[in-house]
Amino acid sequence: MTYPTGAGTSFGSVSVIVPVYNRVRLIEACLQHLQRAARPLADQGVQVEIVVADDASTDGSGQKVLTLAEKADDIVVRLVTLEHRQGPGRARNAALHAAQGELVVFVDSDIVVVPGFLEAHLAAYSEGGPVYTVGTVVAVPDLERALEYPSPTKWDLSNASLHTANASVPRAVLEQVGFFDSGFEGYGWEDLDLGRRLKKAGYKRVMVHEAIGYHVDPPLQTREQFLAQLDKERQRGRYAVHFMEKHPEFSARMTAQDTVLHRGLNWLFRLGGLVHEENVLDWVEWARRRRLTALEKMWIAGVLNQVYLESLGRAKKARSGY
């Protein structure tokens, strides 16, 4: 098989793809740090563009991007506007159709990258071969912490086949295996699906530890935030069925947590059902007052996972007709 590549570090152009939906407070920092990371490449003669797809934001995120684009000098920032909400996968596809770079780098709008971020991704292609890259994502509670550039821990490592918060794929490879599956209309799975398709086509995932992106993920404080997170998990559950239909191997079922083992672990995380959707924030507050961070995270994760599993179960029944 012949593998299209970007000829190692000889990529002459790079497109950074950033989907955004209602992230007006973070998109500026995201783009400014991407521009900073792009300047060393521009100094070496590599053309770098940042293509932002605004997925019908209602908070002024698109206008913020336009304002930044007008101020951009050596690093081009372009905006693609979607009139109706289409989800992150379709938004990335819209940006990809507008992008021109030989290497495509994926970054989410709540990510702040380190100065050597893009150079690290490009360096991974120096030996050529059928590869794509995934960088390190470090979760932080706020922008201030992200700007301190804390060192990654073992908990920040991911075995995901592809994580579009921080990854790169040569454009020619994407054209060979296909862009994001538009069948994933909501939140989740489009990146894992692409990663599996890349691996099945013979491409190797290369972890680039130096390409660090800080994921600004504030702790849940309000009922409104919690409900928004629950909605994301319900979307993930619905589209997990599509993911497993495309990838019928057992490892995909493990990834989708569609096993008795995962349901049993979830039951334990929720203390046999004592912690549930209606009271979890009370349990979390109790843990925070006592600085029991591990319990706080376990209970939140358990309830979110339970909502996901319930949504997955309903989607499987609907698909089977029972």
Side-chain angles (χ1 to χ4, degrees):
M1 175 181 285
T2 301
Y3 297 103
T5 69
T9 54
S10 65
F11 288 112
S13 55
V14 175
S15 294
V16 184
I17 303 297
V18 183
V20 63
Y21 174 70
N22 287 354
R23 288 264 172 75
V24 70
R25 296 182 180 179
L26 291 175
I27 189 63
E28 182 173 8
C30 172
L31 297 183
Q32 287 177 340
H33 283 77
L34 282 171
Q35 288 177 306
R36 180 181 178 185
R39 288 195 175 93
L41 296 183
D43 292 342
Q44 299 169 36
V46 179
Q47 294 182 340
V48 183
E49 63 174 0
I50 302 171
V51 185
V52 182
D54 178 19
D55 194 15
S57 295
T58 58
D59 69 344
S61 293
Q63 185 57 50
K64 175 69 74 172
V65 174
L66 286 176
T67 300
L68 291 169
E70 292 172 357
K71 297 178 181 178
D73 42 23
D74 50 335
I75 308 301
V76 174
V77 177
R78 295 197 284 135
L79 177 67
V80 176
T81 301
L82 283 67
E83 296 298 328
H84 305 286
R85 183 88 189 275
Q86 298 189 36
R90 293 181 178 186
R92 290 189 187 96
N93 281 345
L96 280 169
H97 286 300
Q100 302 173 359
E102 297 170 359
L103 179 68
V104 175
V105 179
F106 296 108
V107 176
D108 282 345
S109 57
D110 55 0
I111 295 286
V112 174
V113 305
V114 297
F117 177 83
L118 292 176
E119 289 175 292
H121 273 294
L122 262 69
Y125 294 93
S126 60
E127 296 182 3
V131 302
Y132 67 98
T133 67
V134 175
T136 302
V137 177
V138 180
V140 292
D142 50 48
L143 182 57
E144 289 71 22
R145 181 59 175 155
L147 298 180
E148 295 173 1
Y149 297 151
S151 298
T153 70
K154 62 181 180 180
W155 304 108
D156 296 312
L157 301 179
S158 172
N159 293 320
S161 56
L162 184 72
H163 193 331
T164 41
N166 182 351
S168 77
V169 186
R171 172 81 184 205
V173 174
L174 286 171
E175 290 176 347
Q176 178 195 8
V177 304
F179 289 177
F180 294 98
D181 182 353
S182 61
F184 296 105
E185 299 177 28
Y187 175 80
W189 301 111
E190 75 282 347
D191 50 356
L192 296 177
D193 166 63
L194 176 56
R196 282 186 175 261
R197 286 190 281 124
L198 286 166
K199 287 188 172 184
K200 289 176 180 179
Y203 293 93
K204 179 183 177 182
R205 171 188 181 273
V206 174
M207 186 70 196
V208 185
H209 297 285
E210 299 81 7
I212 302 173
Y214 295 95
H215 175 209
V216 181
D217 186 23
L220 292 174
Q221 300 286 355
T222 68
R223 185 73 181 171
E224 181 180 10
Q225 290 175 312
F226 181 57
L227 292 175
Q229 197 65 36
L230 289 178
D231 182 60
K232 286 185 176 181
E233 292 305 312
R234 292 189 178 99
Q235 291 180 49
R236 279 208 324 125
R238 288 197 298 271
Y239 293 107
V241 177
H242 182 50
F243 174 75
M244 288 188 290
E245 287 177 345
K246 292 189 67 176
H247 306 284
E249 56 270 19
F250 181 70
S251 62
R253 282 189 60 199
M254 289 291 289
T255 299
Q257 301 180 37
D258 187 29
T259 70
V260 173
L261 171 63
H262 287 97
R263 289 189 286 274
L265 288 173
N266 176 265
W267 184 82
L268 291 174
F269 272 35
R270 294 182 298 109
L271 303 181
L274 286 175
V275 183
H276 51 77
E277 181 179 339
E278 296 303 322
N279 67 10
V280 64
L281 294 183
D282 295 331
W283 283 85
V284 165
E285 182 58 31
W286 181 90
R288 285 176 179 169
R289 287 198 301 267
R290 292 160 179 79
R291 298 184 180 181
L292 300 173
T293 305
L295 286 178
E296 170 191 342
K297 292 183 176 181
M298 182 181 75
W299 291 333
I300 284 288
V303 170
L304 292 175
N305 184 243
Q306 174 65 10
V307 169
Y308 160 77
L309 291 172
E310 290 174 348
S311 177
L312 170 59
R314 289 192 296 270
K316 288 177 64 177
K317 288 182 180 180
R319 194 64 65 97
S320 66
Y322 293 102

